[in-house]
Amino acid sequence: MTFTQHRGPVDATVTPRYGGPSTFARLPRMDEVDRADVAVVGVPFDSGVSYRPGARFGPGHVRAASKLLRDYNPVQDIEPFAVQQVADAGDIACNPFDIAEAIRQIDEGTRAIVGTGAKLMTIGGDHTIALPLLRVVHELHGPVAVVHFDAHLDTWDTYFGAPVTHGTPFRRASEEGLIDRTGSMHVGIRGPLYSRKDLSDDGVLGFQVIGSHDMDDLGWRGAVDRIKARVGDRPTYVSLDIDVLDPAFAPGTGTPEAGGLTSRELLNILRAFGELNLVGADVVEVAPAYDHAEITGIAAAHAAYELISAMAAGRRGTDV
Ligand code: MN
Ligand code: MN
């Protein structure tokens, strides 16, 4: 077994962390490496939002807040940028006036990246983008278990007659057969719904729910146990709406709801995902205009770091 040297972040003993490249974690760009195991890709799109706009500025904000991420992850006990090649694939250009065209562009752009053998770690953008991302992941893996962190179900049908919005991606994905209806789960759901039917519809579409109100009784370990029992060894896609966090921990988002997870709870849950069969992930709905002191950007950058580390942990012991 040989160890392949991967290109990691810029050396912080040479270039201070507030300088250097503006890529995620100051990693190399995709065009600076031969190939990548994980591609961090930005999708600056927010034409599918129902409330506050602004997530189109999410990718740049999360990258800026990721400059302080370091090479060794002590809780997962792994060097996520050393055991696998992680690179920044830049942003996908999306039409802001035509959702269907933007969906096509996201599909095409991420398909090209996945075609090189890289897993996607996507930074949004509003939650609409999960639909084209799941289509691309489905083509490689078939129906995937979705672990969806969010205050909201995102399985509603239409808004103002529009079927593709940030409140509908998981209904569309379930209808299209993209997700495994026996293995998917929402985590962090809270806040008022339109009616009881929202929940019964959601169950039919294939989701179990860990509500935010369940967290005090369950604790993060209990949540991890329930997720693992639900997902098993299925190919698993994690879709993380930053509004799963309480507005105290993530004010910079479009549809905030009181009573969410702490960033410590979220990160602890994600740190257990090295045992899952992670095939891709996104972190969405960071809207920097409502952020303060980079609080939301830092939370999102750390969530992405834990997900990338979990992808690396899945490679532990393999020759990469
Ligand atoms: Mn949400
Ligand atoms: Mn969402």
Side-chain angles (χ1 to χ4, degrees):
M1 196 174 286
T2 55
F3 179 74
T4 311
Q5 192 65 43
H6 296 302
R7 239 188 102 179
V10 166
D11 186 349
T13 65
V14 177
T15 309
R17 292 191 174 277
Y18 42 83
S22 53
T23 52
F24 183 82
R26 310 198 313 161
L27 284 159
R29 298 190 314 263
M30 276 289 263
D31 61 7
E32 294 174 318
V33 294
D34 295 335
R35 53 170 295 283
D37 299 297
V38 178
V40 180
V41 60
V43 182
F45 171 84
D46 68 0
S47 304
V49 301
S50 55
Y51 201 57
R52 294 171 173 170
R56 66 180 60 181
F57 297 105
H61 190 62
V62 176
R63 286 192 181 99
S66 73
K67 285 178 176 289
L68 201 52
L69 294 172
R70 302 182 187 87
D71 295 79
Y72 175 59
N73 183 329
V75 182
Q76 294 202 49
D77 187 22
I78 202 144
E79 293 174 283
F81 308 134
V83 302
Q84 61 187 358
Q85 180 64 59
V86 187
D88 192 319
D91 286 347
I92 291 173
C94 304
N95 188 328
F97 301 108
D98 184 336
I99 293 181
E101 166 74 358
I103 296 285
R104 198 188 57 71
Q105 291 167 314
I106 297 164
D107 186 290
E108 206 173 270
T110 53
R111 197 173 293 269
I113 294 167
V114 164
T116 67
K119 286 182 183 173
L120 294 172
M121 176 63 248
T122 307
I123 310 292
D126 78 50
H127 224 151
T128 311
I129 70 173
L131 179 60
L133 294 172
L134 282 168
R135 285 176 180 154
V136 169
V137 166
H138 172 265
E139 197 160 293
L140 276 182
H141 301 282
V144 290
V146 173
V147 181
H148 169 221
F149 293 88
D150 206 315
H152 311 96
L153 298 167
D154 291 0
T155 52
W156 285 287
D157 193 2
T158 60
Y159 286 90
F160 293 83
V164 178
T165 75
H166 81 151
T168 63
F170 300 107
R171 179 181 288 256
R172 297 287 94 82
S174 184
E175 289 169 347
E176 291 182 22
L178 309 179
I179 70 168
D180 187 333
R181 290 190 177 190
T182 67
S184 294
M185 186 158 237
H186 304 292
V187 183
I189 301 300
R190 63 189 187 275
L193 300 171
Y194 296 96
S195 78
R196 284 191 183 85
K197 189 169 175 293
D198 294 351
L199 286 171
S200 53
D201 279 7
D202 187 74
V204 172
L205 291 164
F207 287 92
Q208 288 184 356
V209 177
I210 297 176
S212 192
H213 61 280
D214 295 322
M215 286 304 299
D216 284 332
D217 290 333
L218 270 182
W220 67 266
R221 288 178 204 278
V224 165
D225 290 345
R226 280 189 54 188
I227 293 165
K228 281 186 183 165
R230 177 71 171 160
V231 166
D233 58 3
R234 293 172 172 83
T236 299
Y237 184 85
V238 173
S239 189
L240 197 163
D241 184 327
I242 204 67
D243 74 24
V244 71
L245 295 178
D246 190 88
F249 299 92
T253 194
T255 324
E257 306 278 354
L261 271 60
T262 67
S263 40
R264 189 167 60 213
E265 284 170 333
L266 174 66
L267 296 178
N268 276 334
I269 293 171
L270 298 179
R271 284 168 186 143
F273 281 14
E275 291 173 42
L276 302 183
N277 178 14
L278 275 192
V279 297
D282 62 60
V283 176
V284 298
E285 298 282 356
V286 173
Y290 318 103
D291 204 6
H292 304 273
E294 281 191 320
I295 295 171
T296 314
I298 289 165
H302 279 258
Y305 180 76
E306 294 299 341
L307 287 162
I308 292 167
S309 298
M311 291 176 188
R315 308 179 69 84
R316 210 189 292 268
T318 62
D319 175 19
V320 292

